[in-house]
Amino acid sequence: MSAPEPPPATIRWLRTIRLIAYGLAALLAVGTGAALWLRHDAGVEQRLGGMAVPPSVSIGGPFTLTDHTGAAVTEASYRGRLMLIFFGFTHCPDVCPTELQVIAEVLDALGEDAARVAPLFVTVDPERDTPEALARYVALFDPRIIGLTGTPEQIAAVARAYRVYYAKVHPPDATEYTMDHSSFVYLMDAEGRFAGLFRHGAPAAEIAAAVRAQLRRPGA
Ligand code: NI
C-alpha cells in the first residue's frame, strides 16, 4: 500500500508557496546585508571634523611641487606637522580669498599651536600662478600660508590624489580665462593621513576645533 498521490493542483500550489518562501528569504538576506553595510559605513567614517567621508574613499597621497619661495617640496617636507590644504588660484574673484581669510583666522585662533600646522594653498592654475605670483598673493592673507605650484602634470596629480575638480573656463564676455574648482579644506594628520574635510563656508572655529582635536591625539 502506498500513500495516495496528491492531486496535480495541490502540487502546483506547494511549488508556488515554496517559491514565494525562497523569494522572501532572499529579500530578507539582501535587506539585512544592506542595512549592516550602511551601518558599518556610517560607523567608521574617517574623520575628526567636518564632513563624513566613506572609508572606501581615499584622500591624499604623495606630491611633488614648488613652494612660493621656489623650493622643491613633497608631502614629506611637512611631515610632523598637520597639513591644512586648500586648492584654488590667485585670479579667483570670490571663493579663494574668502577661504584663505578663513584659514588665516584658523591660524590666529590656534595661537602657538599654529606652528604645528602647515597651511598649504595649492594652485589649480599653474600657468599664471608662478612662485612669485603665489608669494605676493598668500602674503595678503597671512605670511604663514605656503603657496604651492608645479607643472601642469604635478598639479593634475595632486588634484587627483585629493579628488579636486578643476577646469579652465572661458566666459564669453571676458578677455581672460578663469578656473572652475571644488573648494574644500582638507585636514591631514602629522603622518599625512586624511583627518578632516570642510565645505567652503565652514567657520574658522569649526576647523580650529578639529585641528586642536588632532593635535591632542597621542603621538600627534
Ligand atoms: Ni577660487
Side-chain angles (χ1 to χ4, degrees):
M1 280 279 289
S2 59
E5 289 286 318
T10 310
I11 291 173
R12 274 204 303 277
W13 249 114
L14 286 171
R15 280 187 185 146
T16 308
I17 288 168
R18 201 168 58 192
L19 272 177
I20 290 171
Y22 285 163
L24 285 175
L27 275 176
L28 190 69
V30 169
T32 308
L36 284 175
W37 183 80
L38 283 174
R39 230 179 66 184
H40 163 84
D41 219 31
V44 288
E45 59 199 24
Q46 39 173 341
R47 61 156 182 169
L48 286 170
M51 299 163 60
V53 175
S56 52
V57 177
S58 89
I59 292 179
F63 58 75
T64 304
L65 296 167
T66 302
D67 76 10
H68 70 244
T69 71
V73 296
T74 71
E75 78 291 347
S77 310
Y78 309 108
R79 211 37 58 81
R81 295 156 83 186
L82 307 187
M83 294 190 291
L84 211 46
I85 311 180
F86 182 71
F87 291 78
F89 66 115
T90 65
H91 287 62
C92 183
D94 173 21
V95 171
C96 294
T98 313
E99 212 53 56
L100 286 171
Q101 189 56 47
V102 167
I103 288 173
E105 285 169 30
V106 171
L107 296 174
D108 286 341
L110 288 172
E112 287 184 356
D113 280 341
R116 300 170 68 190
V117 179
L120 307 179
F121 176 64
V122 183
T123 185
V124 293
D125 185 13
E127 199 177 308
R128 288 183 297 201
D129 288 344
T130 59
E132 298 75 28
L134 282 170
R136 282 193 299 273
Y137 190 69
V138 294
L140 298 175
F141 300 93
D142 192 300
R144 291 169 288 188
I145 298 175
I146 300 162
L148 296 178
T149 187
T151 65
E153 294 75 23
Q154 288 171 333
I155 295 298
V158 67
R160 206 161 40 239
Y162 283 84
R163 296 168 179 269
V164 170
Y165 159 80
Y166 67 104
K168 195 186 267 193
V169 285
H170 297 270
D173 52 346
T175 52
E176 284 200 309
Y177 69 88
T178 183
M179 302 296 294
D180 263 357
H181 67 97
S182 52
S183 49
F184 295 103
V185 174
Y186 301 81
L187 175 62
M188 311 301 284
D189 74 10
E191 306 295 322
R193 290 172 304 219
F194 177 67
L197 180 65
F198 304 88
R199 258 188 205 92
H200 169 62
E206 184 189 340
I207 301 174
V211 169
R212 279 197 210 93
Q214 191 61 240
L215 288 175
R216 278 196 302 267
R217 282 164 66 86

